Amino acid sequence: MSDRIFSVGWLAVCLVIAVSMWQMEVPFSYEPVGPKAFPLLLAALMTLCCIVLIVRPDAGSISVDSPLLAKGAMLITVLLAYATLFSVLGFPLSTALMVMSVSRIFGGSWATSTVTAASIAVGSFLLFDRLLEVSLPLGGLFG
Amino acid sequence: MDNITNLLGGFQVAIQPLNLVLASFGCFVGTVLGLLPGLGPINGVAIFLPLAFALNLPPESALILLASVYMGCEYGGRISAILLNVPGDASAVMTTVDGHPLALKGRAGVALSISAVSSFVGALVSTIGIVLFAPLLSNWALSFGPAEYFALMVFAVATLGGMLGGKPAKALLGCFIGMSLAMIGIDSGTGVYRLTFGSLHLSDGIQFIVIVIGLFAISEILTMLEQTQAGQNAIKLSGRLLFNAKELASSAMTMLRSAFMGFGIGILPGAGATVASAIAYTTEKRVSDTEGTFGKGDVRGVAAPEAANNASACGSFIPMLTLGVPGSGTTAVMLGALTLYNITPGPLLFESKPDVVWGLIASLFIANVLLVVMNLPLVGLFSRLLSIPNAVLVPAIAAISFIGVYGIHSSTFDLVLMVVLGVFGYILRKLDFPTGPIILGFVLAELMERNLRRALSISDGEIGVLFESPLSIALWVMATLIIALPILLRLRGRRNRNQTVSANDI
């Protein structure tokens, strides 16, 4: 069942690709094959694969239990927040917050996650920014 | 003779202090990543690729680091397979079959040491194979025109989806999804923006590293949520830590046979170490299991898959180095690494960048020796690492992934895109899509499109040029066979089954 849902969704993506390629205006070029051909070919091949999956899906569906779903949603939120706050809050602070939350989500105690957060945030900043010269943002708080 | 001279030159590159340090570091970290269930070679290489690039390592050093991580992972997978009955990476699945029973009998040390030696033999045979065959193949590949290249890549995609894939429709769809992702951004031929939907951030296309880390590190983190904690029921090492002469003698032929088999499978574009270890194990069982001890803890049952998967991992460097067409998901990532350095992989690589190619090959020898030396005495240390709790491991992986991606363009957009792609990759994995084809597709798309366009502009749009030379015809025929044969066999199997059913009914 999940195969079918995904395939129908991906058929819509194929349609978007096809329409967007079709409408694209291409300046005159001497090449016989322009930039439209290959993406259109891909859209056609993907449509074919999706149809095969709709007609003959693999048995079974994804079963998701709600505690796992809740944890997954939390994890994704934390990672997205980390991504957006990375340069705003600076690496040490945002990393400490991320490590703390992720560690808690993965069942770490408050003590474990606090120690892990502090050591990863400070340790990796010193290692990468100071020692290995990969420049990381320090953020307004420290900079 | 030329090969020997070149190889010696390669050793000069590989024994530079920086490269030796990187190789030892890569071997150690690779073994650790390999033994942790869930993290395999492709994740390991994916996590280290952006770091190598952000650290401004020269291309040969970056490749040496990535190759040692790759080989280390193949070594590490067996440790958790034997002690935990959980394969550390997919190619160690077959190692659990005999490895864990051996550990239960108190012979974990024997299983671990014999598998370390098998890994060494497998990788050694295969690396010698690279030295012998890669230059020949690259010479031959020099005569490939765009049409032949296009056909070769069609063959690679077909191998992926064909009999070696297991789920043809999903492997192919995954590969095409990867190709579509590669279409986003400016078209190099005409300068038009494709599929950017007006976004300025997307006009340069999706960075290779963002895709790799998203698909292989972020989605792995999400997958790890479902795992139960590792490390609780690992079997303690006890008894002899080293095999005896009799055990070594009984499995010596097994190692060699499996190594050759693994090498052959590794060369095929699209077929990887997992397939190699499965085929080697079943063959070995058929050939030498006269007393029915396979599956109950036979040292040969551990030797076969380990020799094969290491041989295959090294063998998959051949298509990557000589043809520029990767043989596995992991070598696809490394191919991407080369393009990040503006090095075009392909047959010319042996002439234009001999230090990179031969440095890499020489470092495979060095990494292999380092790994076997590291793995025999340090196995106790490695097995204790199995008890790192996910609450410490996962946030560390997340932080390193973000550092790597941020270190390249300092772009917040890339970080967000990486997480989004990670969630997409997670959904695909939940649906049982193999992830290797996606990254292979992403890497092949540009090459494929460029060669198709070049071939057709030479022929002025006449499509027959793709099927003109004997070589391209042969490749097209093989590609068709590899897709069509399993389908035909299945149809025939079904008809036979139907007949037996109706016969039983009467």
Side-chain angles (χ1 to χ4, degrees):
Chain A
M1 196 55 210
S2 16
D3 275 3
R4 289 199 169 134
I5 298 172
F6 177 83
S7 307
V8 170
W10 200 260
L11 278 179
V13 176
C14 294
L15 193 70
V16 172
I17 295 178
V19 170
S20 139
M21 281 296 113
W22 213 257
Q23 287 173 344
M24 190 171 69
E25 283 174 26
V26 181
F28 178 79
S29 107
Y30 290 101
E31 281 184 53
V33 185
K36 289 181 178 186
F38 200 72
L40 282 175
L41 178 71
L42 285 177
L45 287 169
M46 288 194 291
T47 308
L48 199 70
C49 290
C50 285
I51 291 173
V52 170
L53 280 178
I54 289 173
V55 178
R56 301 173 47 109
D58 289 348
S61 257
I62 303 178
S63 57
V64 195
D65 48 355
S66 43
L68 187 67
L69 201 65
K71 272 188 181 176
M74 269 195 310
L75 187 56
I76 293 170
T77 317
V78 170
L79 290 175
L80 278 176
Y82 184 41
T84 31
L85 296 177
F86 198 80
S87 53
V88 182
L89 290 185
F91 177 80
L93 185 58
S94 61
T95 303
L97 291 174
M98 180 279 289
V99 173
M100 187 113 163
S101 331
V102 173
S103 184
R104 289 289 298 159
I105 294 174
F106 275 86
S109 64
W110 279 110
T112 317
S113 49
T114 314
V115 174
T116 315
S119 40
I120 291 183
V122 177
S124 57
F125 185 77
L126 291 179
L127 176 67
F128 288 103
D129 190 88
R130 292 293 132 91
L131 195 67
L132 297 173
E133 293 174 356
V134 178
S135 71
L136 296 170
L138 203 52
L141 216 59
F142 301 97
Chain B
M1 250 356 252
D2 265 4
N3 293 359
I4 306 288
T5 335
N6 287 327
L7 186 61
L8 287 178
F11 271 106
Q12 277 174 357
V13 176
I15 58 168
Q16 283 164 14
L18 170 70
N19 294 341
L20 271 184
V21 169
L22 285 172
S24 334
F25 174 75
C27 288
F28 183 81
V29 176
T31 311
V32 173
L33 287 174
L35 72 88
L36 295 169
L39 295 173
I42 198 159
N43 317 99
V45 174
I47 292 169
F48 278 93
L49 166 62
L51 287 183
F53 197 63
L55 288 175
N56 283 323
L57 292 180
E60 63 274 11
S61 306
L63 268 191
I64 287 173
L65 172 66
L66 297 181
S68 359
V69 171
Y70 185 16
M71 286 181 76
C73 284
E74 298 295 342
Y75 265 83
R78 77 207 158 80
I79 300 177
S80 44
I82 291 169
L83 294 178
L84 272 181
N85 202 20
V86 176
D89 62 341
S91 63
V93 173
M94 298 315 286
T95 314
T96 58
V97 181
D98 275 285
H100 194 62
L102 273 173
L104 288 175
K105 286 189 212 162
R107 293 170 69 199
V110 175
L112 284 169
S113 54
I114 204 92
S115 58
V117 172
S118 315
S119 301
F120 176 77
V121 171
L124 185 67
V125 165
S126 197
T127 317
I128 294 173
I130 298 181
V131 176
L132 294 177
F133 293 117
L136 289 177
L137 198 60
S138 82
N139 262 341
W140 179 57
L142 281 174
S143 60
F144 282 27
E148 284 81 12
Y149 258 111
F150 183 72
L152 176 71
M153 285 182 263
V154 170
F155 172 63
V157 171
T159 321
L160 211 64
M163 56 186 175
L164 300 162
K167 297 182 186 348
K170 284 188 175 171
L172 286 176
L173 182 54
C175 181
F176 298 140
I177 289 176
M179 290 186 174
S180 315
L181 288 172
M183 292 294 114
I184 297 172
I186 198 161
D187 167 48
S188 56
T190 53
V192 293
Y193 291 107
R194 292 193 288 188
L195 302 172
T196 57
F197 304 102
S199 161
L200 211 61
H201 289 298
L202 286 176
S203 56
D204 263 349
I206 302 178
Q207 296 297 318
F208 176 68
I209 284 176
V210 174
I211 291 251
V212 171
I213 295 283
L215 282 181
F216 295 105
I218 303 297
S219 83
E220 190 60 54
I221 289 174
L222 290 167
T223 314
M224 284 172 107
L225 255 187
E226 296 164 29
Q227 286 168 2
T228 45
Q229 285 285 344
Q232 276 139 10
N233 40 9
I235 294 172
K236 289 269 173 312
L237 277 173
S238 59
R240 270 189 299 138
L241 285 182
L242 201 66
F243 50 83
N244 57 27
K246 189 165 151 265
E247 283 154 348
L248 182 65
S250 79
S251 47
M253 279 315 289
T254 303
M255 288 180 197
L256 280 178
R257 267 198 296 270
S258 308
F260 282 110
M261 223 178 305
F263 177 66
I265 294 167
I267 295 179
L268 282 184
T274 315
V275 181
S277 61
I279 293 183
Y281 182 84
T282 42
T283 314
E284 203 51 38
K285 190 176 166 159
R286 223 177 17 238
V287 173
S288 54
D289 186 19
T290 44
E291 290 133 38
T293 47
F294 270 56
K296 295 175 191 142
D298 191 310
V299 283
R300 291 169 300 179
V302 183
E306 281 305 312
N309 68 26
N310 283 273
S312 153
C314 292
S316 65
F317 278 105
I318 289 192
M320 170 201 145
L321 288 174
T322 58
L323 305 169
V325 176
S328 66
T330 315
T331 43
V333 177
M334 287 197 217
L335 194 81
L338 281 178
T339 43
L340 283 179
Y341 283 100
N342 282 328
I343 295 176
T344 317
L348 284 172
L349 201 60
F350 275 79
E351 306 211 339
S352 62
K353 297 272 175 200
D355 47 336
V356 173
V357 179
W358 289 101
L360 173 68
I361 296 174
S363 73
L364 290 178
F365 282 108
I366 293 177
N368 198 20
V369 174
L370 285 174
L371 277 165
V372 78
V373 170
M374 218 180 255
N375 266 275
L376 287 175
L378 291 186
V379 72
L381 169 71
F382 284 126
S383 65
R384 267 200 297 282
L385 289 175
L386 278 174
S387 52
I388 298 180
N390 279 350
V392 175
L393 180 67
V394 173
I397 296 174
I400 292 177
S401 306
F402 276 71
I403 294 172
V405 168
Y406 188 85
I408 290 167
H409 286 299
S410 306
S411 144
T412 308
F413 177 79
D414 279 356
L415 293 179
V416 176
L417 185 62
M418 165 185 84
V419 176
V420 172
L421 283 168
V423 175
F424 178 60
Y426 173 70
I427 295 172
L428 288 179
R429 286 168 68 154
K430 288 297 283 179
L431 290 166
D432 246 353
F433 277 83
T435 38
I438 304 175
I439 202 67
L440 212 60
F442 188 81
V443 171
L444 284 182
E446 202 206 328
L447 282 169
M448 239 175 145
E449 188 186 23
R450 198 193 312 144
N451 280 296
L452 177 67
R453 279 158 88 166
R454 203 175 284 163
L456 288 177
S457 64
I458 292 170
S459 76
D460 210 17
E462 204 261 309
I463 207 145
V465 71
L466 295 178
F467 316 96
E468 225 166 49
S469 76
L471 179 64
S472 20
I473 294 173
L475 286 166
W476 280 103
V477 170
M478 287 198 297
T480 321
L481 280 181
I482 223 160
I483 289 279
L485 265 183
I487 299 177
L488 288 177
L489 285 177
R490 206 167 52 218
L491 287 179
R492 241 185 84 190
R494 192 180 304 157
R495 196 180 317 136
N496 285 346
R497 207 160 46 239
N498 286 348
Q499 277 166 357
T500 41
V501 167
S502 51
N504 286 343
D505 282 348
I506 304 163

